[in-house]
Amino acid sequence: MINALGLLKERRFLPLFVTQFLGAFNDNLFKQAMVLVVVYQIYQDPAKEQGFTALASALSIIAFVLLSALAGQLADSFDKTRIIRIVKTAEIGIMMVGGAGLMLAKAGYTNVAMVLMLGTIFALGVHSTFFGPIKYAILPQHLKEDEVLGGTGLVESATYIAILLGTVLAGFMKVEHAVIGTLVVAVIGWLSARQVLPAPRQGPKLEINYNPFTSSWRLISGTMHIPRLFLAICAISFFWTMGIVLIVIFTPLAKNVLTADKHVATLLTALFSVGIAIGSVAINSLLKGHTSAKYGPATVLIMGVCVMLFSFLCEAWTPAAPGHLYTTLEFIAAPMAWFVIAALVGIAIFGGMFVVPLYAFLTTTVHKDETARTVAANNVVNSGAMAIGSVFVSLLTGWGVGSTHMLYLVAAMCPISAWLAWKLHKACD
């Protein structure tokens, strides 16, 4: 842990760390501001609220499915730092469009605002598609082998701290302040990207395939035949399928099941982010910098138990009086509130402990000139799994299945993830 934190003093790591932190912060500041506007100001129907969040998630996922293969090829063909700078320049324009959407939503121009906001979500998905493989693939190029797990843990924990800060601020900022904030952070992120050290292409020059379908197929087939990668990618995909279900249902659950206002929804999302950050850093201490899946089965099974407990607690929750939503103080004062919080944080901590070593496998199992494509292949498979999860949530919502019952779907996936992690650990012995 001490060695990992020491990376924050290094020029070969700090600018990248800051750049990805600001990108994750900005992404979530906008998304949370948008979701809160839609759920608490535009829609009053739980089905429409959940449907909108599912649609927004699907639009983001589509970008990963279509463009991850191209992103991985480009990252392994050109200087990764150059691509980072291009992506961060694009982020400034994206946030201008998103800011216009938020302001129009506040002014009551709902239809135009929806188009701009959903368009921004898709553009942010494209942004993340090109930046995502690089933030992991660049680590083996700039770090020593025994530093990669620590660096991955720091990147992962910083991502969720950024989610925390973006989420919290969105819940307390006025819309116009959120708009200004996203633009300012985009500019600062652009400046920090200028300080990232060069990461030139390694290995032979690639012939880039621009067809999103054939390139994705070749990328996946060229990666998944390696047993360690196959198992790691499958386990990560199951994790993010569980994650997308939680993301889609979370804010509507806070409003309609826990009958809490947007500040409570923000608080719970923030606590979830803190939990994942804690788990991401804790697993590095347990493994002492060694990339291993030995704690994977236990951590994801405990996560499943916490999901079940969270569902039971939500079903037993005493709702607020009709027409009233709990404020933060009222929510905390409720008899079962701290049990709900503990279960939620437990899900997050053990989820973070489960997934971080799996990402480290992706970047340490292959040659350095293949890391971006490996991460991109993982993103394609993850995105497909998350798309299926989003569609399934939409179908269940249409069939009248409530948020708490959907949590059982998440819990049911945990034993499968544990089995995959166990297989991965055995394959690496």
PDB file of all heavy atoms in Angstrom, residues 341-374:
ATOM      1  N   ILE A 341     -27.424   1.161   5.049  1.00  0.00           N
ATOM      2  CA  ILE A 341     -26.130   1.744   4.663  1.00  0.00           C
ATOM      3  C   ILE A 341     -25.017   0.704   4.764  1.00  0.00           C
ATOM      4  O   ILE A 341     -24.167   0.587   3.867  1.00  0.00           O
ATOM      5  CB  ILE A 341     -25.823   2.965   5.543  1.00  0.00           C
ATOM      6  CG1 ILE A 341     -26.770   4.122   5.182  1.00  0.00           C
ATOM      7  CG2 ILE A 341     -24.365   3.394   5.388  1.00  0.00           C
ATOM      8  CD1 ILE A 341     -26.701   5.302   6.130  1.00  0.00           C
ATOM      9  N   ALA A 342     -25.015  -0.065   5.860  1.00  0.00           N
ATOM     10  CA  ALA A 342     -23.967  -1.073   6.050  1.00  0.00           C
ATOM     11  C   ALA A 342     -24.009  -2.128   4.945  1.00  0.00           C
ATOM     12  O   ALA A 342     -22.961  -2.541   4.422  1.00  0.00           O
ATOM     13  CB  ALA A 342     -24.117  -1.725   7.418  1.00  0.00           C
ATOM     14  N   ALA A 343     -25.205  -2.572   4.585  1.00  0.00           N
ATOM     15  CA  ALA A 343     -25.334  -3.576   3.528  1.00  0.00           C
ATOM     16  C   ALA A 343     -24.853  -3.021   2.193  1.00  0.00           C
ATOM     17  O   ALA A 343     -24.158  -3.706   1.429  1.00  0.00           O
ATOM     18  CB  ALA A 343     -26.793  -4.042   3.419  1.00  0.00           C
ATOM     19  N   LEU A 344     -25.213  -1.770   1.921  1.00  0.00           N
ATOM     20  CA  LEU A 344     -24.809  -1.141   0.665  1.00  0.00           C
ATOM     21  C   LEU A 344     -23.290  -0.982   0.587  1.00  0.00           C
ATOM     22  O   LEU A 344     -22.668  -1.296  -0.437  1.00  0.00           O
ATOM     23  CB  LEU A 344     -25.488   0.221   0.533  1.00  0.00           C
ATOM     24  CG  LEU A 344     -25.209   1.003  -0.755  1.00  0.00           C
ATOM     25  CD1 LEU A 344     -25.787   0.273  -1.949  1.00  0.00           C
ATOM     26  CD2 LEU A 344     -25.783   2.409  -0.660  1.00  0.00           C
ATOM     27  N   VAL A 345     -22.686  -0.511   1.661  1.00  0.00           N
ATOM     28  CA  VAL A 345     -21.229  -0.346   1.686  1.00  0.00           C
ATOM     29  C   VAL A 345     -20.534  -1.702   1.581  1.00  0.00           C
ATOM     30  O   VAL A 345     -19.488  -1.837   0.937  1.00  0.00           O
ATOM     31  CB  VAL A 345     -20.796   0.406   2.962  1.00  0.00           C
ATOM     32  CG1 VAL A 345     -19.273   0.415   3.089  1.00  0.00           C
ATOM     33  CG2 VAL A 345     -21.321   1.835   2.938  1.00  0.00           C
ATOM     34  N   GLY A 346     -21.126  -2.733   2.183  1.00  0.00           N
ATOM     35  CA  GLY A 346     -20.565  -4.086   2.076  1.00  0.00           C
ATOM     36  C   GLY A 346     -20.541  -4.567   0.636  1.00  0.00           C
ATOM     37  O   GLY A 346     -19.550  -5.162   0.180  1.00  0.00           O
ATOM     38  N   ILE A 347     -21.632  -4.327  -0.091  1.00  0.00           N
ATOM     39  CA  ILE A 347     -21.663  -4.679  -1.521  1.00  0.00           C
ATOM     40  C   ILE A 347     -20.495  -4.023  -2.244  1.00  0.00           C
ATOM     41  O   ILE A 347     -19.790  -4.655  -3.044  1.00  0.00           O
ATOM     42  CB  ILE A 347     -22.996  -4.218  -2.164  1.00  0.00           C
ATOM     43  CG1 ILE A 347     -24.190  -4.968  -1.567  1.00  0.00           C
ATOM     44  CG2 ILE A 347     -22.959  -4.436  -3.688  1.00  0.00           C
ATOM     45  CD1 ILE A 347     -25.537  -4.399  -1.986  1.00  0.00           C
ATOM     46  N   ALA A 348     -20.294  -2.760  -1.968  1.00  0.00           N
ATOM     47  CA  ALA A 348     -19.271  -1.985  -2.674  1.00  0.00           C
ATOM     48  C   ALA A 348     -17.855  -2.442  -2.324  1.00  0.00           C
ATOM     49  O   ALA A 348     -17.009  -2.628  -3.213  1.00  0.00           O
ATOM     50  CB  ALA A 348     -19.443  -0.505  -2.348  1.00  0.00           C
ATOM     51  N   ILE A 349     -17.571  -2.600  -1.038  1.00  0.00           N
ATOM     52  CA  ILE A 349     -16.212  -2.982  -0.622  1.00  0.00           C
ATOM     53  C   ILE A 349     -15.804  -4.315  -1.230  1.00  0.00           C
ATOM     54  O   ILE A 349     -14.725  -4.448  -1.829  1.00  0.00           O
ATOM     55  CB  ILE A 349     -16.114  -3.032   0.917  1.00  0.00           C
ATOM     56  CG1 ILE A 349     -16.184  -1.622   1.507  1.00  0.00           C
ATOM     57  CG2 ILE A 349     -14.812  -3.727   1.344  1.00  0.00           C
ATOM     58  CD1 ILE A 349     -16.208  -1.585   3.020  1.00  0.00           C
ATOM     59  N   PHE A 350     -16.661  -5.313  -1.106  1.00  0.00           N
ATOM     60  CA  PHE A 350     -16.292  -6.635  -1.594  1.00  0.00           C
ATOM     61  C   PHE A 350     -16.335  -6.702  -3.123  1.00  0.00           C
ATOM     62  O   PHE A 350     -15.597  -7.484  -3.730  1.00  0.00           O
ATOM     63  CB  PHE A 350     -17.175  -7.701  -0.950  1.00  0.00           C
ATOM     64  CG  PHE A 350     -16.878  -7.877   0.515  1.00  0.00           C
ATOM     65  CD1 PHE A 350     -17.711  -7.336   1.482  1.00  0.00           C
ATOM     66  CD2 PHE A 350     -15.733  -8.550   0.921  1.00  0.00           C
ATOM     67  CE1 PHE A 350     -17.419  -7.473   2.836  1.00  0.00           C
ATOM     68  CE2 PHE A 350     -15.434  -8.696   2.273  1.00  0.00           C
ATOM     69  CZ  PHE A 350     -16.279  -8.157   3.231  1.00  0.00           C
ATOM     70  N   GLY A 351     -17.164  -5.855  -3.743  1.00  0.00           N
ATOM     71  CA  GLY A 351     -17.131  -5.751  -5.193  1.00  0.00           C
ATOM     72  C   GLY A 351     -15.813  -5.181  -5.682  1.00  0.00           C
ATOM     73  O   GLY A 351     -15.224  -5.678  -6.650  1.00  0.00           O
ATOM     74  N   GLY A 352     -15.319  -4.141  -5.014  1.00  0.00           N
ATOM     75  CA  GLY A 352     -14.034  -3.563  -5.370  1.00  0.00           C
ATOM     76  C   GLY A 352     -12.888  -4.544  -5.176  1.00  0.00           C
ATOM     77  O   GLY A 352     -11.980  -4.634  -6.007  1.00  0.00           O
ATOM     78  N   MET A 353     -12.932  -5.314  -4.099  1.00  0.00           N
ATOM     79  CA  MET A 353     -11.891  -6.306  -3.843  1.00  0.00           C
ATOM     80  C   MET A 353     -11.901  -7.411  -4.900  1.00  0.00           C
ATOM     81  O   MET A 353     -10.857  -7.978  -5.244  1.00  0.00           O
ATOM     82  CB  MET A 353     -12.085  -6.917  -2.446  1.00  0.00           C
ATOM     83  CG  MET A 353     -11.875  -5.930  -1.308  1.00  0.00           C
ATOM     84  SD  MET A 353     -12.156  -6.667   0.323  1.00  0.00           S
ATOM     85  CE  MET A 353     -10.715  -7.721   0.455  1.00  0.00           C
ATOM     86  N   PHE A 354     -13.075  -7.693  -5.437  1.00  0.00           N
ATOM     87  CA  PHE A 354     -13.201  -8.756  -6.434  1.00  0.00           C
ATOM     88  C   PHE A 354     -12.625  -8.353  -7.788  1.00  0.00           C
ATOM     89  O   PHE A 354     -11.894  -9.099  -8.434  1.00  0.00           O
ATOM     90  CB  PHE A 354     -14.677  -9.132  -6.577  1.00  0.00           C
ATOM     91  CG  PHE A 354     -14.965 -10.085  -7.714  1.00  0.00           C
ATOM     92  CD1 PHE A 354     -14.572 -11.411  -7.643  1.00  0.00           C
ATOM     93  CD2 PHE A 354     -15.630  -9.647  -8.847  1.00  0.00           C
ATOM     94  CE1 PHE A 354     -14.835 -12.287  -8.685  1.00  0.00           C
ATOM     95  CE2 PHE A 354     -15.904 -10.505  -9.896  1.00  0.00           C
ATOM     96  CZ  PHE A 354     -15.499 -11.838  -9.815  1.00  0.00           C
ATOM     97  N   VAL A 355     -12.944  -7.132  -8.246  1.00  0.00           N
ATOM     98  CA  VAL A 355     -12.703  -6.795  -9.651  1.00  0.00           C
ATOM     99  C   VAL A 355     -11.298  -6.262  -9.940  1.00  0.00           C
ATOM    100  O   VAL A 355     -10.782  -6.445 -11.051  1.00  0.00           O
ATOM    101  CB  VAL A 355     -13.764  -5.785 -10.140  1.00  0.00           C
ATOM    102  CG1 VAL A 355     -13.457  -4.368  -9.668  1.00  0.00           C
ATOM    103  CG2 VAL A 355     -13.901  -5.831 -11.658  1.00  0.00           C
ATOM    104  N   VAL A 356     -10.634  -5.622  -8.972  1.00  0.00           N
ATOM    105  CA  VAL A 356      -9.330  -5.003  -9.253  1.00  0.00           C
ATOM    106  C   VAL A 356      -8.273  -6.008  -9.718  1.00  0.00           C
ATOM    107  O   VAL A 356      -7.582  -5.772 -10.722  1.00  0.00           O
ATOM    108  CB  VAL A 356      -8.838  -4.196  -8.034  1.00  0.00           C
ATOM    109  CG1 VAL A 356      -7.359  -3.855  -8.173  1.00  0.00           C
ATOM    110  CG2 VAL A 356      -9.641  -2.910  -7.910  1.00  0.00           C
ATOM    111  N   PRO A 357      -8.079  -7.155  -9.037  1.00  0.00           N
ATOM    112  CA  PRO A 357      -7.072  -8.101  -9.533  1.00  0.00           C
ATOM    113  C   PRO A 357      -7.386  -8.610 -10.935  1.00  0.00           C
ATOM    114  O   PRO A 357      -6.472  -8.948 -11.692  1.00  0.00           O
ATOM    115  CB  PRO A 357      -7.138  -9.249  -8.507  1.00  0.00           C
ATOM    116  CG  PRO A 357      -7.687  -8.626  -7.276  1.00  0.00           C
ATOM    117  CD  PRO A 357      -8.675  -7.609  -7.760  1.00  0.00           C
ATOM    118  N   LEU A 358      -8.660  -8.673 -11.283  1.00  0.00           N
ATOM    119  CA  LEU A 358      -9.034  -9.154 -12.616  1.00  0.00           C
ATOM    120  C   LEU A 358      -8.547  -8.201 -13.693  1.00  0.00           C
ATOM    121  O   LEU A 358      -8.070  -8.629 -14.751  1.00  0.00           O
ATOM    122  CB  LEU A 358     -10.556  -9.323 -12.702  1.00  0.00           C
ATOM    123  CG  LEU A 358     -11.177 -10.292 -11.693  1.00  0.00           C
ATOM    124  CD1 LEU A 358     -12.692 -10.344 -11.863  1.00  0.00           C
ATOM    125  CD2 LEU A 358     -10.584 -11.691 -11.851  1.00  0.00           C
ATOM    126  N   TYR A 359      -8.652  -6.885 -13.437  1.00  0.00           N
ATOM    127  CA  TYR A 359      -8.133  -5.915 -14.395  1.00  0.00           C
ATOM    128  C   TYR A 359      -6.611  -6.006 -14.498  1.00  0.00           C
ATOM    129  O   TYR A 359      -6.035  -5.824 -15.575  1.00  0.00           O
ATOM    130  CB  TYR A 359      -8.551  -4.496 -13.995  1.00  0.00           C
ATOM    131  CG  TYR A 359      -9.917  -4.109 -14.498  1.00  0.00           C
ATOM    132  CD1 TYR A 359     -11.005  -4.024 -13.635  1.00  0.00           C
ATOM    133  CD2 TYR A 359     -10.127  -3.828 -15.841  1.00  0.00           C
ATOM    134  CE1 TYR A 359     -12.259  -3.676 -14.100  1.00  0.00           C
ATOM    135  CE2 TYR A 359     -11.376  -3.473 -16.316  1.00  0.00           C
ATOM    136  CZ  TYR A 359     -12.446  -3.395 -15.444  1.00  0.00           C
ATOM    137  OH  TYR A 359     -13.687  -3.058 -15.912  1.00  0.00           O
ATOM    138  N   ALA A 360      -5.964  -6.279 -13.372  1.00  0.00           N
ATOM    139  CA  ALA A 360      -4.505  -6.418 -13.403  1.00  0.00           C
ATOM    140  C   ALA A 360      -4.082  -7.599 -14.270  1.00  0.00           C
ATOM    141  O   ALA A 360      -3.052  -7.551 -14.946  1.00  0.00           O
ATOM    142  CB  ALA A 360      -3.964  -6.567 -11.988  1.00  0.00           C
ATOM    143  N   PHE A 361      -4.892  -8.672 -14.274  1.00  0.00           N
ATOM    144  CA  PHE A 361      -4.597  -9.818 -15.127  1.00  0.00           C
ATOM    145  C   PHE A 361      -4.556  -9.406 -16.602  1.00  0.00           C
ATOM    146  O   PHE A 361      -3.748  -9.910 -17.374  1.00  0.00           O
ATOM    147  CB  PHE A 361      -5.661 -10.909 -14.942  1.00  0.00           C
ATOM    148  CG  PHE A 361      -5.316 -11.915 -13.891  1.00  0.00           C
ATOM    149  CD1 PHE A 361      -5.984 -11.919 -12.683  1.00  0.00           C
ATOM    150  CD2 PHE A 361      -4.319 -12.866 -14.098  1.00  0.00           C
ATOM    151  CE1 PHE A 361      -5.675 -12.845 -11.700  1.00  0.00           C
ATOM    152  CE2 PHE A 361      -4.010 -13.794 -13.123  1.00  0.00           C
ATOM    153  CZ  PHE A 361      -4.684 -13.788 -11.918  1.00  0.00           C
ATOM    154  N   LEU A 362      -5.459  -8.511 -16.992  1.00  0.00           N
ATOM    155  CA  LEU A 362      -5.554  -8.126 -18.399  1.00  0.00           C
ATOM    156  C   LEU A 362      -4.284  -7.461 -18.905  1.00  0.00           C
ATOM    157  O   LEU A 362      -3.941  -7.585 -20.078  1.00  0.00           O
ATOM    158  CB  LEU A 362      -6.733  -7.171 -18.605  1.00  0.00           C
ATOM    159  CG  LEU A 362      -8.128  -7.696 -18.255  1.00  0.00           C
ATOM    160  CD1 LEU A 362      -9.169  -6.634 -18.579  1.00  0.00           C
ATOM    161  CD2 LEU A 362      -8.443  -8.982 -19.006  1.00  0.00           C
ATOM    162  N   THR A 363      -3.605  -6.735 -18.035  1.00  0.00           N
ATOM    163  CA  THR A 363      -2.438  -5.971 -18.475  1.00  0.00           C
ATOM    164  C   THR A 363      -1.111  -6.648 -18.168  1.00  0.00           C
ATOM    165  O   THR A 363      -0.068  -6.193 -18.641  1.00  0.00           O
ATOM    166  CB  THR A 363      -2.436  -4.564 -17.827  1.00  0.00           C
ATOM    167  OG1 THR A 363      -2.461  -4.701 -16.405  1.00  0.00           O
ATOM    168  CG2 THR A 363      -3.660  -3.778 -18.277  1.00  0.00           C
ATOM    169  N   THR A 364      -1.123  -7.727 -17.395  1.00  0.00           N
ATOM    170  CA  THR A 364       0.139  -8.398 -17.046  1.00  0.00           C
ATOM    171  C   THR A 364       0.279  -9.764 -17.707  1.00  0.00           C
ATOM    172  O   THR A 364       1.349 -10.370 -17.650  1.00  0.00           O
ATOM    173  CB  THR A 364       0.257  -8.569 -15.518  1.00  0.00           C
ATOM    174  OG1 THR A 364      -0.876  -9.310 -15.031  1.00  0.00           O
ATOM    175  CG2 THR A 364       0.327  -7.224 -14.824  1.00  0.00           C
ATOM    176  N   THR A 365      -0.772 -10.262 -18.338  1.00  0.00           N
ATOM    177  CA  THR A 365      -0.752 -11.586 -18.944  1.00  0.00           C
ATOM    178  C   THR A 365      -0.265 -11.552 -20.385  1.00  0.00           C
ATOM    179  O   THR A 365       0.145 -12.574 -20.925  1.00  0.00           O
ATOM    180  CB  THR A 365      -2.162 -12.219 -18.886  1.00  0.00           C
ATOM    181  OG1 THR A 365      -2.599 -12.228 -17.529  1.00  0.00           O
ATOM    182  CG2 THR A 365      -2.170 -13.649 -19.391  1.00  0.00           C
ATOM    183  N   VAL A 366      -0.315 -10.391 -21.032  1.00  0.00           N
ATOM    184  CA  VAL A 366       0.040 -10.281 -22.453  1.00  0.00           C
ATOM    185  C   VAL A 366       1.246  -9.356 -22.628  1.00  0.00           C
ATOM    186  O   VAL A 366       1.661  -8.672 -21.689  1.00  0.00           O
ATOM    187  CB  VAL A 366      -1.159  -9.736 -23.273  1.00  0.00           C
ATOM    188  CG1 VAL A 366      -2.327 -10.695 -23.191  1.00  0.00           C
ATOM    189  CG2 VAL A 366      -1.569  -8.351 -22.784  1.00  0.00           C
ATOM    190  N   HIS A 367       1.783  -9.335 -23.851  1.00  0.00           N
ATOM    191  CA  HIS A 367       2.889  -8.436 -24.155  1.00  0.00           C
ATOM    192  C   HIS A 367       2.407  -6.980 -24.118  1.00  0.00           C
ATOM    193  O   HIS A 367       1.240  -6.684 -24.364  1.00  0.00           O
ATOM    194  CB  HIS A 367       3.464  -8.759 -25.537  1.00  0.00           C
ATOM    195  CG  HIS A 367       4.077 -10.126 -25.621  1.00  0.00           C
ATOM    196  ND1 HIS A 367       5.183 -10.491 -24.882  1.00  0.00           N
ATOM    197  CD2 HIS A 367       3.730 -11.215 -26.353  1.00  0.00           C
ATOM    198  CE1 HIS A 367       5.493 -11.742 -25.156  1.00  0.00           C
ATOM    199  NE2 HIS A 367       4.628 -12.212 -26.048  1.00  0.00           N
ATOM    200  N   LYS A 368       3.339  -6.074 -23.850  1.00  0.00           N
ATOM    201  CA  LYS A 368       2.973  -4.668 -23.691  1.00  0.00           C
ATOM    202  C   LYS A 368       2.364  -4.061 -24.957  1.00  0.00           C
ATOM    203  O   LYS A 368       1.593  -3.111 -24.874  1.00  0.00           O
ATOM    204  CB  LYS A 368       4.199  -3.855 -23.255  1.00  0.00           C
ATOM    205  CG  LYS A 368       4.660  -4.184 -21.838  1.00  0.00           C
ATOM    206  CD  LYS A 368       5.866  -3.352 -21.433  1.00  0.00           C
ATOM    207  CE  LYS A 368       6.317  -3.706 -20.015  1.00  0.00           C
ATOM    208  NZ  LYS A 368       7.496  -2.907 -19.598  1.00  0.00           N
ATOM    209  N   ASP A 369       2.707  -4.602 -26.126  1.00  0.00           N
ATOM    210  CA  ASP A 369       2.147  -4.064 -27.357  1.00  0.00           C
ATOM    211  C   ASP A 369       0.749  -4.602 -27.650  1.00  0.00           C
ATOM    212  O   ASP A 369       0.149  -4.274 -28.664  1.00  0.00           O
ATOM    213  CB  ASP A 369       3.076  -4.343 -28.546  1.00  0.00           C
ATOM    214  CG  ASP A 369       3.241  -5.832 -28.821  1.00  0.00           C
ATOM    215  OD1 ASP A 369       3.184  -6.620 -27.859  1.00  0.00           O
ATOM    216  OD2 ASP A 369       3.413  -6.205 -29.992  1.00  0.00           O
ATOM    217  N   GLU A 370       0.218  -5.442 -26.719  1.00  0.00           N
ATOM    218  CA  GLU A 370      -1.123  -6.000 -26.897  1.00  0.00           C
ATOM    219  C   GLU A 370      -2.082  -5.584 -25.774  1.00  0.00           C
ATOM    220  O   GLU A 370      -3.244  -5.983 -25.777  1.00  0.00           O
ATOM    221  CB  GLU A 370      -1.049  -7.538 -26.923  1.00  0.00           C
ATOM    222  CG  GLU A 370      -0.214  -8.110 -28.059  1.00  0.00           C
ATOM    223  CD  GLU A 370      -0.078  -9.614 -27.972  1.00  0.00           C
ATOM    224  OE1 GLU A 370      -0.319 -10.175 -26.868  1.00  0.00           O
ATOM    225  OE2 GLU A 370       0.272 -10.237 -28.975  1.00  0.00           O
ATOM    226  N   THR A 371      -1.589  -4.795 -24.825  1.00  0.00           N
ATOM    227  CA  THR A 371      -2.399  -4.518 -23.639  1.00  0.00           C
ATOM    228  C   THR A 371      -3.673  -3.740 -23.958  1.00  0.00           C
ATOM    229  O   THR A 371      -4.750  -4.042 -23.438  1.00  0.00           O
ATOM    230  CB  THR A 371      -1.584  -3.738 -22.588  1.00  0.00           C
ATOM    231  OG1 THR A 371      -0.967  -2.609 -23.214  1.00  0.00           O
ATOM    232  CG2 THR A 371      -0.514  -4.616 -21.967  1.00  0.00           C
ATOM    233  N   ALA A 372      -3.573  -2.718 -24.804  1.00  0.00           N
ATOM    234  CA  ALA A 372      -4.754  -1.906 -25.112  1.00  0.00           C
ATOM    235  C   ALA A 372      -5.814  -2.742 -25.813  1.00  0.00           C
ATOM    236  O   ALA A 372      -7.010  -2.617 -25.521  1.00  0.00           O
ATOM    237  CB  ALA A 372      -4.369  -0.699 -25.974  1.00  0.00           C
ATOM    238  N   ARG A 373      -5.386  -3.598 -26.753  1.00  0.00           N
ATOM    239  CA  ARG A 373      -6.359  -4.445 -27.435  1.00  0.00           C
ATOM    240  C   ARG A 373      -6.987  -5.461 -26.477  1.00  0.00           C
ATOM    241  O   ARG A 373      -8.160  -5.807 -26.605  1.00  0.00           O
ATOM    242  CB  ARG A 373      -5.694  -5.162 -28.611  1.00  0.00           C
ATOM    243  CG  ARG A 373      -5.562  -4.302 -29.867  1.00  0.00           C
ATOM    244  CD  ARG A 373      -4.690  -4.954 -30.900  1.00  0.00           C
ATOM    245  NE  ARG A 373      -3.285  -4.933 -30.486  1.00  0.00           N
ATOM    246  CZ  ARG A 373      -2.331  -5.692 -31.021  1.00  0.00           C
ATOM    247  NH1 ARG A 373      -2.634  -6.535 -31.983  1.00  0.00           N
ATOM    248  NH2 ARG A 373      -1.085  -5.594 -30.594  1.00  0.00           N
ATOM    249  N   THR A 374      -6.207  -5.926 -25.518  1.00  0.00           N
ATOM    250  CA  THR A 374      -6.752  -6.862 -24.531  1.00  0.00           C
ATOM    251  C   THR A 374      -7.816  -6.177 -23.677  1.00  0.00           C
ATOM    252  O   THR A 374      -8.896  -6.735 -23.447  1.00  0.00           O
ATOM    253  CB  THR A 374      -5.623  -7.398 -23.628  1.00  0.00           C
ATOM    254  OG1 THR A 374      -4.631  -8.032 -24.440  1.00  0.00           O
ATOM    255  CG2 THR A 374      -6.169  -8.403 -22.625  1.00  0.00           C
TER     256      THR A 374
END
